[in-house]
């Protein structure tokens, strides 16, 4: 069987170029999670590596299938604008380990909360998982393995996260779009949530 991590890293190199930094975090009882940083102009992209080694399993299922189940990696894009965004490495690794640690299935439309700022001084403590397929294409694996999906993460302020819980992910994304919100701005405030 193919080494999923090596295939994922090769896909990143094709889509994003060479990483200029990487860090690894290991949580008790989990696979090692790496976070790679790719810089493109004034944008830093932080991408997880290792989350897709095992498929995500439904926590209500009786037995986890070692082959079948969705696989994903996480990608966060942030503008380099004087914020300490490199400190997002550990929170990102925590989110990437959540399927192994908590039995969470990470899918588009989900909210993931780290319970603290994503980096020092960040106005965000959570992210919205967006649809894959834009920046990094899905990675097909040999059957019966499901493809690896590269899920973009969109930082949310606490007010946006609360509003999303009531109105849904698509409504929040539509609000961001209609207000021209720069979701890569590490200093941005909440979008206008008044009707």
């Amino acid at each position: 069987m193919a080494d999923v991590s090596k295939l994922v890293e090769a896909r990143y190199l094709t889509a994003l170029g060479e990483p200029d930094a990487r860090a690894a975090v290991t949580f008790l009882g989990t696979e090692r999670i790496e976070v790679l940083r790719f810089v493109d102009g004034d944008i830093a992209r932080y991408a997880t590596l290792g989350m897709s080694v095992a498929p995500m399993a439904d926590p209500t299922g009786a037995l986890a299938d070692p082959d079948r189940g969705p696989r994903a990696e996480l990608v966060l894009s942030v503008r380099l604008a004087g914020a300490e965004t490199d400190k997002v490495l550990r929170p990102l690794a925590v989110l990437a380990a959540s399927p192994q640690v908590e039995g969470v299935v990470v899918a588009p439309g989900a909210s993931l909360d780290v319970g603290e700022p994503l980096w020092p001084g960040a106005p965000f403590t959570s992210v919205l998982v967006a649809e894959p397929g834009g920046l990094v294409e899905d990675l097909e694996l040999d059957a019966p393995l499901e493809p690896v999906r590269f899920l973009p993460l969109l930082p949310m302020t606490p007010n946006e996260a609360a509003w999303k819980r009531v109105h849904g992910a698509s409504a929040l994304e539509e609000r961001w779009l209609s207000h021209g919100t720069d979701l890569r701005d590490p200093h941005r405030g909440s979008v206008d949530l008044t009707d």
Side-chain angles (χ1 to χ4, degrees), residues 24-99:
V25 180
T26 305
F27 301 97
L28 189 62
T30 67
E31 297 285 339
R32 170 181 150 125
I33 302 286
E34 287 189 78
V35 179
L36 313 182
R37 185 182 74 174
F38 302 86
V39 175
D40 180 14
D42 69 337
I43 303 291
R45 302 190 196 286
Y46 300 94
T48 64
L49 178 63
M51 179 180 174
S52 61
V53 169
M56 294 181 277
D58 181 348
T60 62
L63 191 60
D65 187 315
D67 294 328
R68 290 182 174 80
R71 293 173 188 262
E73 296 289 353
L74 308 175
V75 181
L76 173 70
S77 298
V78 184
R79 197 171 303 288
L80 295 168
E84 292 183 76
T85 55
D86 282 351
K87 302 280 173 113
V88 79
L89 300 178
R90 184 162 180 80
L92 256 186
V94 168
L95 295 178
S98 62

Side-chain angles (χ1 to χ4, degrees), residues 118-187:
L118 291 176
W119 54 82
F124 320 106
T125 59
S126 62
V127 292
L128 175 64
V129 181
E131 290 291 335
L135 190 62
V136 184
E137 289 182 28
D138 290 356
L139 173 64
E140 296 294 331
L141 300 174
D142 294 335
L145 306 183
E146 291 187 27
V148 177
R149 301 170 82 201
F150 297 88
L151 302 172
L153 301 180
L154 309 175
M156 291 189 293
T157 66
N159 285 345
E160 290 169 339
W163 196 87
K164 181 255 174 194
R165 281 192 293 277
V166 174
H167 300 279
S170 338
L172 179 58
E173 289 182 277
E174 180 56 42
R175 189 150 294 240
W176 282 335
L177 191 60
S178 66
H179 285 79
T181 306
D182 180 2
L183 296 173
R184 298 174 184 169
D185 180 354
H187 305 290

Side-chain angles (χ1 to χ4, degrees), residues 101-128:
V101 175
E102 299 169 25
V104 174
V105 176
V106 178
S111 299
L112 302 175
D113 196 318
V114 295
E116 61 185 34
L118 291 176
W119 54 82
F124 320 106
T125 59
S126 62
V127 292
L128 175 64

